[in-house]
Amino acid sequence: MKLVAGAAWLLLTALAGPAAAQGARPGGGSAPLAVREIGSMHVGGRVAAVEGLPERETVFSPGAPPLRVAPNGRFHVEQMYALFVKLEAPRARYPLLLWPGGLTGATWETTPDGRPGWQMFFLRAGHDVYVSDAVERGRSGWARFPEVFAGEPVFRTVGEGWALFRIGERSEWDDDAARRVPFPGGRFPIAHWDRFAKQSAPRWTTTDRQIQAAYDAIVQAVCPCVVMAQSQGGNFAFTAALNALDKVRAVIAVEPSGTPGADAQAARVGGVPHSVVWGDRIAEDPFWSRIRGNVERWQERVRAAGGGADTLDLPAAGVTGNSHMLMMDNNSDDAASRVQRWMEAEGLMRD
Amino acid sequence: MKLVAGAAWLLLTALAGPAAAQGARPGGGSAPLAVREIGSMHVGGRVAAVEGLPERETVFSPGAPPLRVAPNGRFHVEQMYALFVKLEAPRARYPLLLWPGGLTGATWETTPDGRPGWQMFFLRAGHDVYVSDAVERGRSGWARFPEVFAGEPVFRTVGEGWALFRIGERSEWDDDAARRVPFPGGRFPIAHWDRFAKQSAPRWTTTDRQIQAAYDAIVQAVCPCVVMAQSQGGNFAFTAALNALDKVRAVIAVEPSGTPGADAQAARVGGVPHSVVWGDRIAEDPFWSRIRGNVERWQERVRAAGGGADTLDLPAAGVTGNSHMLMMDNNSDDAASRVQRWMEAEGLMRD
């Protein structure tokens, strides 16, 4: 029976850890994933009016007659997209919501060198998985600026992530791929940098309030749940827990780049277990050291209030070389297995 | 054995048609879908240089230190995203590529009233499915304008699709949902119009060449395949077949809004079976009548060259009330089943 084989695999994974998990990946002879439904949803947002702009005629497809396009009118803005995969028999108690950082949900779907991403890993581990795009990125869509979104979008250069994501020294970035020298022992698949660069999405830096509101709407629509977020998504996840203490049953923040601001807030989230995951070379990097310091202060406040705020420091656990994009690194399954074991230990899986 | 039950379901669907297909949908007691892998890919595009814009500092997350953002530099642009779901044992001979019209790939993933979309239908029918976003929409990302993309993006109002997609008379659109009167017998789920409006994505009208190049890249990466496209996607699908006669084994164009321009081209595509699907109320609509006329002339040229260019005219088949967005209408599974039967008849499924 295929389902029995799948259950046995899950048990093996839980017991044996990362090595078993990696051996059982797609292509590795594992049982098929038993899926109940795949689909997507848009939630949240509002209707905004735009006025005072001139009309014009536009041809949308070659050969089609021109259409009058009215730039003015009422537009749906600030909504959020999530792709879901629901399993036939999830082993997790709650769906797992995956929130990206400054890129789109594709962050979770695949690695630059084409291995299955954390979406597939956590599906195989028994979670229903919802992958979101932040407001104004990916399938969430974006709105006219400056009429609806304040300011202008920011575009990431091909090389910006090299130093920012701790893959190599800034001075070692080179437009010529053959001349790029990463940190020794680095785990990011730099041979496929161009595929990673293709995931870049324009973003605003003025839309935190709107993004938070939409994540809160996803939580209301889907949860109780576990939220796992990376980088910019970390602060949204911490705050989503504060905004829905009855709905968010755990927060896993992978290299979170921010925290909620007000100290007094931390005491409220004491009942929600948190885990923060860090890769390598943070101490050597002033930018990330400062971020980590902020996050650790947040964790201390949560702990002082009686809450659980664990840290999975990969180098401290003997796993070196991980970048900011650790779900894409060449040991991505190992890191995911460690997160999965934390969820097991927190009682987030069915027995 | 779950896989045997799944295979039996597929056989029943093929034999019994739309009624059996609808009864076996998720929630209807069908066997789980046996999935080998879920993931995504970005293909195509190029690196473009932007020069001469001023630098500035930007805070990306609350509490994070400001970063210097360089608007100038080399950017990856014009790439294309596709989400894939690969089955454990596909019954289709080739993967099925789903290309949306002016919205994103979410078009295929769900219906506005929350039923499973055509992505799920064709997965259940035994196809590996790849859902793309056009260049500059959704997870494909977009580029700085006017430096990289010519012109400005177009934004769809909440109500624009009402008349354009033949859901009701233009005069019957009302900002108050309770006062909207659709065409009699119309099948679009207008009670969930807001969820549909949330799928809107800004788009350009100057990027056909770039979109075509990226679709051609997807074809080279994934095919041999069958391409199914809607609306604006139709012309890209017709052209993709011309550009890869050895790779595109069939084209299914759902309400295509355009065709390749040059008459001489049609003779080349004679070996690739085409099916064009139309909903209701086209004869009453001058805009869509003109489009359909263009498409029928294209089909005539393909047929004159000895090719197969079938038409699935839903009203002529006794199925009335379908809109331009027929994969979202309340009989979406029925229409999908008819497309599936065409693929069966064309020998595109394994015996």
Side-chain angles (χ1 to χ4, degrees), chain B residues 182-193:
Chain B
F183 289 127
R187 292 181 175 278
F188 191 87
I190 63 162
H192 302 276
W193 187 269

Side-chain angles (χ1 to χ4, degrees), chain A residues 35 74 81 109 139 158, chain B residues 33 35 74 81 109 139 158:
Chain A
V35 169
R74 299 166 69 251
Y81 168 85
E109 291 174 343
R139 289 175 169 176
V158 170
Chain B
L33 195 67
V35 169
R74 299 166 71 249
Y81 168 85
E109 292 174 344
R139 289 175 171 177
V158 171

Side-chain angles (χ1 to χ4, degrees), chain A residues 27-257:
Chain A
S30 66
L33 195 66
V35 169
R36 184 160 62 85
E37 189 182 348
I38 300 172
S40 67
M41 57 198 298
H42 281 83
V43 303
R46 66 186 175 99
V47 174
V50 173
E51 297 169 344
L53 300 175
E55 283 206 351
R56 60 188 159 219
E57 289 205 329
T58 301
V59 173
F60 283 83
S61 300
L67 289 176
R68 277 180 79 86
V69 175
N72 301 310
R74 299 166 69 251
F75 299 84
H76 214 298
V77 302
E78 300 167 8
Q79 61 276 6
M80 178 173 279
Y81 168 85
L83 178 104
F84 59 79
V85 181
K86 298 178 186 174
L87 299 176
E88 183 68 10
R91 199 170 70 86
R93 294 189 189 280
Y94 312 108
L96 178 64
L97 277 52
L98 298 183
W99 299 356
L103 308 176
T104 74
T107 295
W108 304 106
E109 291 174 343
T110 191
T111 67
D113 51 347
R115 289 168 294 123
W118 278 23
Q119 176 194 45
M120 192 68 196
F121 182 95
F122 288 105
L123 284 167
R124 285 209 172 274
H127 304 260
D128 285 356
V129 173
Y130 288 69
V131 176
S132 282
D133 294 336
V135 169
E136 40 95 340
R137 273 163 247 166
R139 289 175 169 176
S140 295
W142 52 282
R144 191 180 289 278
F145 61 96
E147 290 84 356
V148 180
F149 286 163
E152 292 188 359
V154 175
F155 298 76
R156 210 184 284 282
T157 63
V158 170
E160 185 183 327
W162 179 266
L164 181 59
F165 301 158
R166 306 192 316 277
I167 291 159
E169 294 286 357
R170 191 176 303 273
S171 58
E172 296 297 332
W173 169 258
D174 198 296
D175 286 346
D176 178 357
R179 297 176 60 182
R180 291 170 200 159
V181 181
F183 288 127
R187 294 181 174 277
F188 190 88
I190 63 163
H192 302 276
W193 187 268
D194 275 4
R195 279 201 225 159
F196 175 59
K198 291 179 191 190
Q199 292 191 10
S200 287
R203 60 185 289 193
W204 274 257
T205 58
T206 55
T207 51
D208 274 23
R209 181 181 54 77
Q210 294 92 324
I211 296 173
Q212 187 68 57
Y215 275 130
D216 289 347
I218 289 261
V219 165
Q220 291 301 321
V222 172
C223 301
C225 61
V226 173
V227 176
M228 185 183 304
Q230 193 242 1
S231 196
Q232 188 202 20
N235 182 44
F236 299 128
F238 293 137
T239 306
L242 285 167
N243 291 348
L245 293 171
D246 57 329
K247 300 267 190 187
V248 177
R249 299 300 163 90
V251 175
I252 297 142
V254 180
E255 297 239 336
S257 60

Side-chain angles (χ1 to χ4, degrees), chain B:
Chain B
M1 289 284 289
K2 290 294 181 184
L3 279 182
V4 173
W9 179 88
L10 289 171
L11 192 65
L12 275 173
T13 306
L15 295 173
Q22 288 192 329
R25 293 300 293 270
S30 65
L33 195 67
V35 169
R36 185 159 62 86
E37 189 182 348
I38 300 172
S40 67
M41 57 198 297
H42 281 83
V43 303
R46 65 186 175 98
V47 174
V50 173
E51 297 169 345
L53 300 175
E55 283 206 351
R56 61 189 157 218
E57 289 206 326
T58 301
V59 173
F60 283 82
S61 300
L67 289 176
R68 277 179 78 89
V69 174
N72 301 310
R74 299 166 71 249
F75 299 85
H76 213 298
V77 302
E78 302 167 8
Q79 62 276 7
M80 178 173 280
Y81 168 85
L83 177 105
F84 60 77
V85 181
K86 298 178 185 175
L87 299 176
E88 183 68 11
R91 199 170 70 86
R93 294 190 187 281
Y94 313 108
L96 178 64
L97 277 51
L98 298 182
W99 298 356
L103 308 176
T104 73
T107 296
W108 304 105
E109 292 174 344
T110 191
T111 67
D113 51 347
R115 289 170 293 124
W118 278 23
Q119 176 194 43
M120 193 67 197
F121 183 95
F122 287 106
L123 284 167
R124 285 209 172 276
H127 305 259
D128 286 356
V129 173
Y130 289 68
V131 176
S132 282
D133 294 337
V135 169
E136 40 94 338
R137 273 163 246 167
R139 289 175 171 177
S140 295
W142 52 281
R144 191 180 289 277
F145 61 96
E147 291 84 357
V148 180
F149 286 165
E152 291 189 358
V154 175
F155 298 78
R156 212 183 282 282
T157 62
V158 171
E160 185 183 327
W162 179 265
L164 180 60
F165 301 157
R166 307 193 314 279
I167 290 159
E169 294 285 359
R170 192 174 304 273
S171 59
E172 295 297 332
W173 170 259
D174 199 294
D175 285 345
D176 177 357
R179 296 176 62 181
R180 291 170 199 158
V181 181
F183 289 127
R187 292 181 175 278
F188 191 87
I190 63 162
H192 302 276
W193 187 269
D194 274 6
R195 277 201 228 162
F196 175 59
K198 291 178 190 188
Q199 292 192 8
S200 287
R203 60 186 288 193
W204 275 257
T205 59
T206 55
T207 51
D208 274 22
R209 180 181 56 76
Q210 295 91 324
I211 296 173
Q212 187 68 57
Y215 275 131
D216 290 347
I218 289 261
V219 165
Q220 292 301 322
V222 173
C223 302
C225 62
V226 173
V227 177
M228 185 182 304
Q230 192 241 2
S231 198
Q232 187 202 18
N235 182 45
F236 298 127
F238 292 138
T239 306
L242 285 166
N243 290 348
L245 294 171
D246 57 328
K247 299 268 191 187
V248 177
R249 299 300 162 91
V251 174
I252 297 144
V254 179
E255 297 239 338
S257 60
T259 66
D263 285 20
Q265 297 264 37
R268 298 175 46 228
V269 84
V272 181
H274 285 53
S275 179
V276 178
V277 185
W278 297 107
D280 206 351
R281 294 193 168 270
I282 288 178
E284 298 89 330
D285 186 311
F287 176 74
W288 285 106
S289 290
R290 189 166 155 193
I291 285 175
R292 181 163 173 169
N294 291 340
V295 173
E296 287 180 346
R297 277 185 288 282
W298 174 253
Q299 289 175 282
E300 283 160 19
R301 288 178 208 126
V302 173
R303 276 192 293 267
D310 297 331
T311 298
L312 170 51
D313 181 316
L314 289 170
V319 180
T320 59
N322 277 113
S323 74
H324 182 57
M325 306 305 298
L326 54 88
M327 74 289 289
M328 298 179 183
D329 288 343
N330 67 12
N331 62 337
S332 54
D333 283 0
D334 182 13
S337 293
R338 291 165 192 270
V339 171
Q340 174 63 23
R341 288 206 292 279
W342 181 84
M343 287 193 276
E344 304 269 356
E346 291 292 332
L348 297 167
M349 308 300 288
R350 298 179 206 276
D351 295 327

